[in-house]
Amino acid sequence: MGILIEKDQDDSVFKDAYEEAQRIIRICDEVRISLDEVKEIGTVQNNNTQDDLNKLTTSKLAAKHKIKTNELLEQLVQKGFLILNDKGKHQLTEQGKNIGGEFKTNSYGGYFLWNSEMNL
């Protein structure tokens, strides 16, 4: 379902709709950033061992290497550290565990932790 608003027909309605769309996009980005910060804080508070402090989530590891998270996930699948199950979700393999990968659960589902010095 959609609405057709033509700028030439009603400039003020078009402007209002555009500003509302931009506001919604901003809110989505802010929520995503807040969620990443909460995950990071929760990980550090719940896992106090030195080994866990040297680990990064998949998204943080991707950011460190200046690539997108999906690109890193594809690389981890290609290297055999992750597999895709029949539901399309990533799962840690024994090979992934052997290199220090971990799967942690939280209220949003789960996430992977990797050694921060992991070579790609």
Side-chain angles (χ1 to χ4, degrees):
M1 183 172 149
I3 301 171
L4 174 62
I5 301 172
E6 294 182 7
K7 186 175 183 179
D8 299 335
Q9 299 287 328
D10 195 345
D11 192 30
S12 65
V13 172
F14 182 86
K15 183 179 176 185
D16 290 343
Y18 177 80
E19 289 174 357
E20 181 64 13
Q22 293 301 314
R23 185 187 70 78
I24 292 169
I25 291 168
R26 265 193 319 277
I27 290 171
C28 291
D29 288 340
E30 290 170 7
V31 168
R32 188 176 329 129
I33 291 167
S34 297
L35 181 60
D36 286 343
E37 290 173 358
V38 169
K39 282 183 182 179
E40 182 179 331
I41 291 168
T43 300
V44 172
Q45 290 174 346
N46 292 333
N47 303 311
N48 292 326
T49 66
Q50 185 61 35
D51 188 43
D52 284 343
L53 295 176
N54 291 328
K55 293 193 173 189
L56 298 173
T57 62
T58 307
S59 61
K60 298 291 182 188
L61 186 61
K64 178 182 174 184
H65 290 283
K66 297 182 172 95
I67 61 173
K68 294 182 179 182
T69 304
N70 286 341
E71 292 175 31
L72 178 57
L73 287 170
E74 287 177 25
Q75 288 182 19
L76 295 170
V77 169
Q78 289 173 356
K79 292 182 178 196
F81 302 145
L82 294 174
I83 59 169
L84 280 172
N85 66 17
D86 28 336
K87 294 182 180 180
K89 300 286 184 183
H90 288 95
Q91 286 185 301
L92 192 62
T93 64
E94 284 302 316
Q95 187 178 354
K97 290 177 187 175
N98 291 339
I99 63 158
E102 295 180 52
F103 180 76
K104 301 284 185 173
T105 57
N106 62 14
S107 59
Y108 302 105
Y111 58 96
F112 298 102
L113 287 176
W114 307 98
N115 291 326
S116 60
E117 301 304 316
M118 181 176 174
N119 291 324
L120 302 178

